[in-house]
Amino acid sequence: MDDMMTKRISKGLLAGVAIATAIGGLATPAFAQRDPAYAAARSAGQVGEKMDGYLGIVGASTPELQRLVNDINIKRRAVYAERAKATNATLEEYALTAGCQAILATSPGEKYQAPSGSWETRTSAPPMRDSRCP
């Protein structure tokens, strides 16, 4: 396949995954939203949404924070794997699209990873997102 056709197929696949993500809800599992430790870490800017669809630690880590992030990311990966299979996408494609959606869904004051890899604080302006985001 030539490069142009591969890019077209990839963009179409990512768009399909984005639609599936929107229909299935954000990739962040609902149980994480109910966890008071997660909510506290998120509002304190200790964790943020990464471009790869997973939660990241912003700044210094503690064993408790690392356990929380690992637990959420293991659960996210399981959801991504299931949904990727259902949409004929790779795990990485689905996770990227989920990351795009999760970053878009951040609220002002919350942390997210910019395309440069730096941690940014969401303002009232739209967040900076990866050019591959649908």
Side-chain angles (χ1 to χ4, degrees):
M1 252 188 272
D2 67 11
D3 234 14
M4 181 80 117
M5 183 174 274
T6 302
K7 285 181 183 178
R8 214 172 311 155
I9 290 170
S10 293
K11 283 190 179 233
L13 185 58
L14 284 174
V17 170
I19 291 168
T21 301
I23 292 170
L26 271 180
T28 306
F31 52 80
Q33 303 299 337
R34 291 190 289 264
D35 185 335
Y38 167 74
R42 189 174 174 115
S43 66
Q46 295 175 304
V47 298
E49 295 296 339
K50 293 174 42 182
M51 293 181 307
D52 64 4
Y54 297 96
L55 195 61
I57 295 175
V58 180
S61 179
T62 65
E64 298 81 26
L65 191 58
Q66 190 63 59
R67 273 193 295 277
L68 174 73
V69 168
N70 288 347
D71 183 56
I72 289 171
N73 285 340
I74 288 167
K75 292 172 181 171
R76 284 186 181 190
R77 183 176 171 86
V79 169
Y80 296 165
E82 182 181 310
R83 292 185 181 170
K85 186 176 180 182
T87 58
N88 293 320
T90 67
L91 177 64
E92 291 77 18
E93 289 168 333
Y94 193 91
L96 173 73
T97 301
C100 293
Q101 298 300 319
I103 288 171
L104 189 59
T106 56
S107 299
E110 294 180 338
K111 297 287 190 178
Y112 70 95
Q113 190 180 42
S116 67
S118 66
W119 287 106
E120 302 293 331
T121 301
R122 174 77 189 264
T123 64
S124 58
M128 295 177 276
R129 297 191 316 148
D130 191 287
S131 62
R132 297 170 292 170
C133 288

